[in-house]
């Protein structure tokens, strides 16, 4: 009998070990399968740690090893915002490696000025830019230099992002660089800047930088020159200085399937020597061209009583409705060119009216509120003039449109104009009578001037989104509009006094760290007291029943 | 089966709250990690950013001490008070007993974790808005991780049946399983040992929490924690079976 029990125990033990081994084998197989077939759900707002399909497709199409090297200085860790950005970049780059599997290698290195002098020197020589960061040590604030940049290596090519100081649009930035390395960029941008006394390099510095970062192929077009054949997108700002021949060039560019982004004001704003501003109706030849296509750029300034940017002067806030701000609900939700735009501040804009015959091919991108008004003849732009709201003829005005369809040439029954600026340059070829055109028209060119571009860069986003719509790269708009992910304690700014922040901070620490445990402590004491009362009652009942039993027994005996 | 689990669960929760274990656990769990978070790591104020990532990055280490402290008596206490024989003879299976005990311990950890929600909730009211999708994922991951820690410590408690031994053994194993993931980042492995680096990262309890702390649910991490719970449950049941007959 005893031997039999021992045998059963032995068999049971062997069985246990076999089951255990089988479980481990099963687990290993399942781990292997799950590593190949898995899913991930990014629960963060805006899917912060996920790469969009368009980037994923680009990475999957690599046919060679792409090395992404991210270098940042250890100083970044001490800075509240930069530390968050560095952490985000590290996390998202790991995603690139995960999706790229065989072809993407990510190297992340934190460098120290003392230990890694040589590497830092090399990075600086290759183009890395240092930026100042404020560092707090022993209660004192001081400036220090830091860096955070990426080197891409693909085949024999090398590209650098010299400084990354924001997480906004990071994926887009990476996408563009990879696309450039792969040589996939097909579109060539031609910029026509036509504003009196304005220079592209100085007065449109932000626009220039932005286009140079985004596109490898950007050409500046001069008045009197032919538009090169390889230009696919025309960016036209202003239009004041365009000659009749230039207008002809633009017209034929569009008739040949060219795509254009046009920003023009119906009224030009001129600053006088004394600082006063005056408005002059725009006599540009571009306006009749657009009118021929069906877009009437009106020569009156639009103001908005319901949504405008106030002007601060000597601690006084002034109403200034002729700087209308487009409200989120007044953007066209269905058009990708304005996707992701939350607001847009315009400066003395004008309106556009669309002819009935092209209305079905045109979409309004944004408009004013119902409480907008127009200044038709009297362009008084003085701040004090707008103290009291204008309540006459309030209505909604369209300020930007997107068009896609067939239109006829402006030069149907006209001769080819002479090239006065550059007589040696002549048009060769036949005039095309009509063509399929894709165009975005914004009735405000001032928004692209460097001095008027605000920190949110909304006007540049509008331009880049529009270019992506024109080129058909609409997937890029989605990743460009990925907003900033770091979440600053932004309610601090709403507390006017600094001590308000510390009071709030102390409340948070006190409640979560001390009051909550204290509540558990009080709960423990209360439960203990209740238990004691209950025990006493039970003992009392027990004693009582025992006494009763004893009494009964005594009575019996 | 559920009635059995429910009965054991009730008994366990009652025993936690009738003794001082639950209160000590809850008080210390709020006090120590929060002091570390706010005063040593700077909390949300150091980065001036509405994120709990630092708090959750610290959690695998906090669990190393707290969870063995909570569960060391899971079986040892039964043995010391002589109720283990009673448990084995009750009309409930060992699986039901184990599940009841496991859910009770996990409930206590969930209560402790829920109490820390005061930090994001108050910050959201006073200072800056949180990404609640990320917060939900962090807490979900923390519960899964706590489940695997509990399963491991339960097994070791059943193996030793001694309070101190169980605590020391559990903490030691958890330390190894937690820091092993960081070894792959901290130490430079030679190329031929790359597989070891991957293995370390794969078996580490903390590595699999990284995605959760970011706000991402990865099926591999979920499966890993569930796998750990299942394996240690099985081993726990076998140990109990041996103890029953041995």
């Amino acid at each position: 009998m005893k031997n039999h029990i021992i045998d059963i125990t032995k068999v049971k033990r062997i069985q246990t070990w076999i089951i255990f081994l089988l479980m481990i084998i099963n687990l290993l197989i399942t781990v292997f399968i799950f590593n190949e077939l898995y899913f991930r759900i990014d629960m963060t707002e805006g899917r912060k740690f996920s790469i969009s399909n368009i980037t994923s497709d680009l990475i999957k199409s690599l046919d060679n090893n792409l090395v992404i090297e991210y270098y940042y200085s250890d100083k970044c860790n001490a800075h509240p915002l930069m530390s968050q950005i560095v952490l985000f970049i590290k996390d998202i780059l790991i995603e690139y490696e995960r999706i790229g599997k065989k072809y993407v290698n990510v190297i992340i290195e934190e460098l120290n000025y003392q230990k890694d002098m040589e590497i830092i020197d090399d990075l600086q020589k290759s183009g890395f830019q240092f930026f100042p960061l404020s560092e707090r040590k022993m209660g004192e604030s001081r400036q220090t230099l830091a860096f955070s940049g990426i080197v891409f290596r693909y085949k024999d090519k090398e590209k650098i992002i010299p400084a990354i100081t924001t997480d906004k649009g990071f994926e887009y930035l990476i996408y563009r660089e990879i696309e450039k390395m792969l040589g996939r960029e097909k579109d060539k941008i031609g910029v026509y800047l036509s504003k009196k006394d304005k220079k592209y390099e100085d007065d449109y510095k932000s626009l220039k930088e932005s286009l140079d970062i985004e596109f490898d192929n950007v050409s500046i077009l001069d008045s009197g020159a032919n538009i090169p054949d390889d230009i696919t997108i025309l960016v036209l700002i202003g239009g004041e200085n365009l000659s009749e021949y230039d207008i002809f060039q633009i017209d034929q560019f569009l008739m040949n399937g060219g795509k254009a982004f046009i920003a023009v004001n119906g009224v030009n704003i001129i600053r006088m020597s004394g600082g006063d501003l005056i408005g002059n109706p725009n006599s540009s030849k571009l306006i009749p061209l657009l009118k021929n296509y069906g877009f009437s750029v009106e020569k009156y300034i639009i103001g908005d009583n319901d949504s405008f940017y106030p002007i601060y002067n000597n601690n006084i806030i002034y109403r200034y409705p002729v700087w209308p701000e487009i409200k989120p609900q007044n953007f066209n939700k269905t058009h990708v060119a304005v996707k992701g735009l939350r607001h847009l501040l315009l400066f003395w804009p004008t309106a556009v009216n669309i002819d009935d015959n092209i209305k079905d091919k045109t979409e309004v991108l944004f408009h004013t509120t119902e409480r907008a008004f127009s200044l038709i003849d009297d362009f008084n732009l003085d701040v004090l003039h707008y103290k009291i709201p204008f309540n006459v003829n309030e209505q909604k005005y369209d300020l930007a449109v997107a068009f896609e369809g067939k239109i006829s040439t402006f030069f149907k029954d006209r001769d080819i104009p002479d090239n006065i600026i550059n007589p040696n340059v002549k048009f060769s070829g036949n005039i095309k009578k009509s063509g399929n055109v894709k165009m975005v028209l914004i009735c405000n060119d001032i928004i692209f001037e460097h001095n008027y571009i605000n920190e949110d860069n909304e006007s540049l986003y509008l331009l880049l989104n529009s270019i992506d719509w024109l080129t058909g790269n609409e997937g890029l708009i989605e990743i460009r509009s990925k907003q900033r992910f770091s979440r600053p304690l932004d309610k601090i700014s709403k507390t006017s006094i600094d001590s308000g922040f510390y009071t709030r901070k102390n409340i948070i620490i006190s409640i979560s760290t001390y009051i909550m445990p204290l509540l558990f402590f009080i709960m423990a004491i209360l439960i203990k007291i209740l238990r004691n009362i209950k025990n006493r009652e039970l003992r009392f009942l027990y004693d009582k029943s025992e006494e009763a039993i004893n009494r009964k027994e005594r009575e019996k005996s | 089966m559920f009635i059995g689990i429910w009965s054991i669960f009730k008994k366990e929760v009652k025993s936690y709250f009738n003794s001082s274990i639950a209160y000590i656990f809850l008080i210390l769990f709020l006090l120590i990690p929060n002091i570390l978070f706010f005063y040593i790591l700077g909390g949300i104020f150091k980065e001036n950013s509405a994120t709990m990532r630092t708090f959750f990055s610290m959690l695998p280490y906090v669990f190393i001490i707290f969870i063995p402290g909570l569960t060391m008596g899971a079986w040892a206490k039964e043995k010391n008070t002589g109720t283990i024989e009673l448990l084995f003879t009750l009309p409930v299976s060992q699986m039901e007993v184990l599940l009841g005990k496991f859910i009770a311990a996990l409930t206590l950890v969930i209560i402790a974790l829920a109490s820390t929600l005061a930090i994001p909730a108050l910050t959201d009211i006073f200072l800056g808005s949180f990404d609640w999708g990320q917060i939900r994922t962090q807490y979900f991951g923390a519960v899964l991780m706590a489940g695997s820690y509990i399963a491991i410590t339960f097994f070791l408690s059943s193996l030793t049946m001694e309070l101190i031994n169980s605590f020391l053994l559990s903490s030691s194993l958890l330390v190894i399983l937690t820091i092993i993931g960081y070894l792959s980042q901290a130490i430079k492995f030679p190329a031929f040992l790359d597989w070891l680096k991957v293995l370390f990262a794969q078996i580490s309890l903390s590595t699999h929490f990284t995605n959760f702390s970011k706000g991402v649910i990865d099926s591999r991490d979920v499966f890993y924690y569930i796998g750990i719970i299942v394996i240690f449950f099985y081993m726990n049941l076998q140990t109990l079976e041996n103890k029953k007959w041995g």
Side-chain angles (χ1 to χ4, degrees), chain A residues 222-443:
Chain A
D222 296 319
S223 185
N226 282 343
I227 298 173
D229 290 340
D230 56 350
I231 298 284
T232 51
I233 310 277
L234 194 66
V235 174
L236 179 51
I237 311 280
E240 285 171 70
N241 306 331
L242 294 174
S243 68
E244 193 75 26
Y245 184 77
D246 295 330
I247 295 293
F248 172 73
Q249 283 285 314
I250 294 165
D251 176 75
Q252 284 306 298
F253 170 79
L254 292 172
M255 292 309 117
N256 282 293
K259 294 146 189 170
F261 176 89
I262 300 171
V264 61
N265 257 51
V267 178
N268 286 322
I269 308 300
I270 302 153
R271 188 175 289 276
M272 304 303 285
S273 51
D276 291 341
L277 293 167
I278 57 158
N280 254 352
N282 193 347
S283 55
S284 167
K285 294 172 180 72
L286 183 65
I287 292 176
L289 175 80
L290 293 170
K291 173 90 181 154
N292 172 73
Y293 295 155
F295 306 104
S296 305
V297 178
E298 303 300 346
K299 294 184 180 181
Y300 41 74
I301 294 174
I302 302 298
D304 196 331
N305 281 322
D306 207 24
S307 180
F308 58 86
Y309 192 78
I311 291 183
Y312 294 85
N313 195 5
N314 293 330
N315 290 330
I316 301 169
I317 302 170
Y318 293 97
R319 295 180 80 251
Y320 202 53
V322 282
W323 280 12
E325 191 171 43
I326 305 300
K327 286 185 171 183
Q329 63 268 30
N330 292 338
F331 285 105
N332 184 339
K333 297 275 183 301
T334 57
H335 204 284
V336 289
V338 283
K339 193 176 180 181
L341 291 180
R342 289 166 295 172
H343 56 87
L344 182 68
L345 180 62
L346 302 163
F347 306 92
W348 308 287
T350 48
V352 59
N353 281 315
I354 310 148
D355 283 1
D356 289 340
N357 59 325
I358 56 158
K359 265 194 174 150
D360 57 330
K361 296 165 205 158
T362 310
E363 280 193 74
V364 175
L365 294 179
F366 51 82
H367 56 78
T368 62
T369 69
E370 298 285 349
R371 293 201 57 215
F373 60 90
S374 57
L375 299 176
I376 296 175
D377 296 317
D378 176 23
F379 299 130
N380 191 339
L381 305 177
D382 185 25
V383 172
L384 298 173
H385 186 65
Y386 300 95
K387 263 185 174 178
I388 304 153
F390 283 64
N391 289 325
V392 282
N393 298 330
E394 284 184 338
Q395 67 170 86
K396 185 184 85 180
Y397 290 93
D398 296 332
L399 303 176
V401 291
F403 171 84
E404 190 175 10
K406 199 170 183 177
I407 46 176
S408 300
T409 176
F410 184 44
F411 292 87
K412 198 176 174 184
D413 304 315
R414 297 168 66 184
D415 295 331
I416 300 171
D418 292 332
N419 190 349
I420 305 159
I421 298 167
N422 206 345
N424 297 330
V425 176
K426 287 196 164 49
F427 176 73
S428 58
N430 298 321
I431 296 179
K432 217 167 170 217
K433 303 282 184 208
S434 63
N436 280 316
V437 174
K438 212 172 174 185
M439 186 169 71
V440 170
L441 172 64
I442 314 286
C443 289

Side-chain angles (χ1 to χ4, degrees), chain A residues 1 57 85 195 200 207 251 270 275 292 306 370 400 440 444 519 532 550:
Chain A
M1 182 68 183
D57 292 342
I85 292 164
K195 289 279 282 179
Y200 184 57
L207 176 78
D251 176 75
I270 302 153
N292 172 73
D306 207 24
E370 298 285 349
V440 170
N444 194 201
L519 285 177
N532 282 347
N550 288 341

